[in-house]
Amino acid sequence: MATAGGLSGAVGISARPNSTAACLVQKVGALSNSLPGAATVQVSQCQNKARNGQAIRCAMATGKEHGAVTAASSVDQNKGGLRGKLNKVVLAYSGGLDTSVIVPWLRENYGCEVVCFTADVGQGAIELEGLEKKAKASGACQLVVKDLREEFVSEYIYPCLRAGAVYERKYLLGTSMARPVIAKAMVDVAKEVGADAVAHGCTGKGNDQVRFELTFYALNPELKVVAPWREWDITGREDAIEYAKKHNVPVPVSKKSIYSRDRNLWHLSHEGDILEDPANEPKEDMYMMSVAPENAPSEPEYLEIGIIAGVPVSINGRNLSPASLLAELNEIGGKHGIGRIDMVENRLVGMKSRGVYETPGGTIMAAAVRELEALTLDRETMQWKDMVALKYAELVYAGRWFDPLRQSFDAFMENITATTTGSVTLKLYKGSVNVTSRKSPYSLYREDISSFENGEIYNQADAEGFIRLYGLPTRVRAMLEKGI
């Protein structure tokens, strides 16, 4: 399942206006890639940290500097809220309606300071604009923004790609992979700011609540988890607007999409509205990352994808960082109508749901890695890899990223794909991805053996004895049935 309860790809929440609390903005560089063969990207990091409420200045991804000032919170630290007392809560934040009302709700119900957290996982600059102002207007004492794009691709997407993890035959796990990297960052921020709780805006019907909370439990079981959608009386958009007005929270004036969407560097998901009926064909104006295959260029495009140890590292001979490589493939694939998936899936909580996914770059990557494995993996290894991949995908979908079982599976995948190195040339044409060439220094394909001509290594006459022995159980069974 892609989204839950207005939780966007930015993931997060804001707080209430007319508060003396101001905002602190941090932009922290992503972790460098630890997978073999992938280029390391240079990301500027904030060198100054807030200490005892002092102001800091940090360089953002755009190269511009944003000032941040902290002030004493208006929250009375000696009093609790309607539901209890928490000191400080780190809240996943996007700046939308749902997230905007959660901050005053937390302050009212738990008497706490609220630190808004936003993760940049490639959802786009538009979703990140104006977050400081929104958080300040809602009453947050602090806004933390972290650039997780490189970490997301190298430490989460690439392991799944290497494993060949696909949920229920189609879903390439776009949202499933993003939630643990965001939740992990929230745990880190909670430690940095001294928070005793974390909160999210996921509904009680979706998968994301499980993904966030299992990560919280795995990394810091002492943190209190608050899930407002499972506690409050707000039942829909109108209730949320009314609550926002009552607490002087500016209601976002942007046009409400008829679809529930989640976007990150790997994919864009669409749910809701006419898609809730599986019989309805998606409308073309819904798609945002890809053109309709019939409107794609009339000439095919060829791409050579370089791969080292099961993960892509280059396009047409150009080495790129993981995030940069994926972003470029998204552009190329989207132009050719690649990666559209329409599926009905089984949510973790038991119900079925229908979603439409756009994963142009990921579809290209998956095709390239799979084709190279045809050269480098033997039959038994490939079969076991495919079987383990099913369980791997299930664990990721269910939010069990930090489970010892997934980590053990990952060690297995890393080991068997150590020789999955080489290049694959793909032909992109009107929604299709076809392989035209594959090469590897570790190829198990031998032309001198596979040729129809007789050779020194393979004697065709040897096949007779092999067939007699291989078919012996079949022959014995037939003899029994015929009384021979």
Side-chain angles (χ1 to χ4, degrees):
M1 192 61 194
T3 58
L7 187 70
S8 75
V11 181
I13 275 124
S14 60
R16 123 185 175 196
N18 301 328
S19 167
T20 57
C23 295
L24 173 67
V25 179
Q26 289 181 302
K27 190 77 171 184
V28 183
L31 298 180
S32 61
N33 180 20
S34 63
L35 288 174
T40 299
V41 62
Q42 297 294 326
V43 184
S44 62
Q45 300 189 358
C46 297
Q47 300 300 322
N48 300 319
K49 297 181 179 179
R51 289 294 184 267
N52 301 320
Q54 295 178 352
I56 68 169
R57 296 184 66 83
C58 295
M60 304 296 278
T62 59
K64 298 179 181 179
E65 290 189 346
H66 294 253
V69 180
T70 61
S73 172
S74 62
V75 175
D76 188 340
Q77 298 298 320
N78 297 316
K79 295 182 179 180
L82 300 176
R83 297 173 183 267
K85 180 69 180 80
L86 294 171
N87 292 322
K88 187 177 292 186
V89 179
V90 174
L91 177 63
Y93 175 79
S94 68
L97 173 61
D98 294 345
T99 59
S100 294
V101 299
I102 288 181
V103 173
W105 184 90
L106 286 171
R107 292 164 60 89
E108 180 180 36
N109 285 272
Y110 288 99
C112 59
E113 293 185 29
V114 179
V115 176
C116 294
F117 172 74
T118 299
D120 182 357
V121 288
Q123 62 268 34
I126 294 179
E127 290 195 32
L128 298 174
E129 289 178 357
L131 289 182
E132 178 185 1
K133 182 178 180 180
K134 291 178 182 178
K136 182 176 181 179
S138 297
C141 69
Q142 200 171 347
L143 171 66
V144 180
V145 180
K146 287 194 176 185
D147 185 347
L148 303 179
R149 288 173 294 179
E150 292 293 343
E151 180 183 358
F152 177 40
V153 181
S154 64
E155 304 296 334
Y156 295 81
I157 290 177
Y158 274 6
C160 288
L161 182 66
R162 180 177 58 202
V166 179
Y167 182 72
E168 293 191 341
R169 305 170 183 170
K170 289 184 176 182
Y171 180 41
L172 293 176
L173 301 168
T175 301
S176 309
M177 296 183 294
R179 295 320 184 213
V181 69
I182 296 168
K184 176 182 178 295
M186 289 179 67
V187 172
D188 294 339
V189 170
K191 181 178 180 180
E192 293 168 6
V193 301
D196 56 339
V198 286
H200 61 73
C202 308
T203 71
K205 283 188 175 183
N207 299 315
D208 281 347
Q209 58 181 335
V210 182
R211 294 164 182 159
F212 272 96
E213 293 180 35
L214 289 190
T215 301
F216 298 149
Y217 296 156
L219 301 181
N220 188 350
E222 295 182 350
L223 284 171
K224 167 74 174 177
V225 179
V226 183
W229 276 100
R230 300 202 299 257
E231 297 184 30
W232 63 16
D233 297 324
I234 295 175
T235 59
R237 183 173 176 82
E238 295 305 317
D239 287 347
I241 292 175
E242 193 63 32
Y243 186 90
K245 290 179 179 179
K246 179 181 177 181
H247 292 78
N248 298 317
V249 174
V251 177
V253 296
S254 58
K255 183 179 179 181
K256 172 69 176 178
S257 171
I258 61 174
Y259 301 104
S260 175
R261 289 188 169 102
D262 177 76
R263 184 167 189 165
N264 57 48
L265 201 54
W266 184 248
H267 87 161
L268 172 62
S269 65
H270 312 267
E271 296 174 344
D273 198 59
I274 66 167
L275 299 180
E276 292 185 349
D277 183 350
N280 290 333
E281 180 181 6
K283 295 180 180 179
E284 184 56 38
D285 62 5
M286 176 193 73
Y287 295 97
M288 301 174 68
M289 289 184 71
S290 59
V291 303
E294 58 268 28
N295 296 328
S298 299
E299 295 296 323
E301 183 170 355
Y302 291 83
L303 287 180
E304 182 182 43
I305 308 297
I307 298 170
I308 295 179
V311 298
V313 297
S314 67
I315 302 174
N316 296 331
R318 293 182 296 109
N319 288 329
L320 297 167
S321 75
S324 298
L325 191 148
L326 177 54
E328 184 165 329
L329 287 180
N330 279 334
E331 291 293 327
I332 297 171
K335 179 178 66 176
H336 291 279
I338 305 296
R340 293 184 173 187
I341 295 295
D342 183 346
M343 68 178 292
V344 174
E345 68 196 66
N346 291 294
R347 282 187 186 175
L348 180 63
V349 294
M351 69 187 73
K352 286 186 179 291
S353 65
R354 192 265 189 100
V356 176
Y357 302 99
E358 296 178 80
T359 319
T363 300
I364 294 171
M365 284 184 171
V369 172
R370 185 172 58 247
E371 290 297 336
L372 191 59
E373 288 178 347
L375 285 183
T376 62
L377 299 183
D378 61 79
R379 178 175 58 194
E380 295 294 327
T381 300
M382 185 179 292
Q383 289 175 355
W384 274 102
K385 183 177 186 293
D386 288 346
M387 287 190 288
V388 173
L390 291 174
K391 187 62 178 178
Y392 193 107
E394 182 181 328
L395 291 172
V396 175
Y397 187 84
R400 295 170 62 185
W401 184 268
F402 294 99
D403 232 54
L405 181 57
R406 190 212 62 84
Q407 293 169 336
S408 297
F409 282 163
D410 206 46
F412 167 75
M413 294 298 181
E414 185 174 358
N415 183 276
I416 66 172
T417 59
T419 58
T420 303
T421 295
S423 64
V424 175
T425 300
L426 301 169
K427 177 182 179 182
L428 313 182
Y429 181 66
K430 290 191 176 295
S432 65
V433 181
N434 295 299
V435 62
T436 62
S437 171
R438 49 187 74 75
K439 297 177 288 185
S440 171
Y442 302 102
S443 175
L444 299 178
Y445 180 91
R446 289 282 299 267
E447 187 174 352
D448 56 345
I449 297 177
S450 301
S451 172
F452 285 105
E453 303 295 330
N454 281 325
E456 296 180 359
I457 299 178
Y458 190 99
N459 187 336
Q460 296 190 42
D462 293 341
E464 180 179 356
F466 165 75
I467 294 171
R468 289 179 66 85
L469 293 177
Y470 184 72
L472 185 58
T474 302
R475 188 178 182 187
V476 171
R477 185 180 298 109
M479 292 171 65
L480 177 63
E481 292 173 352
K482 294 181 180 297
I484 300 177

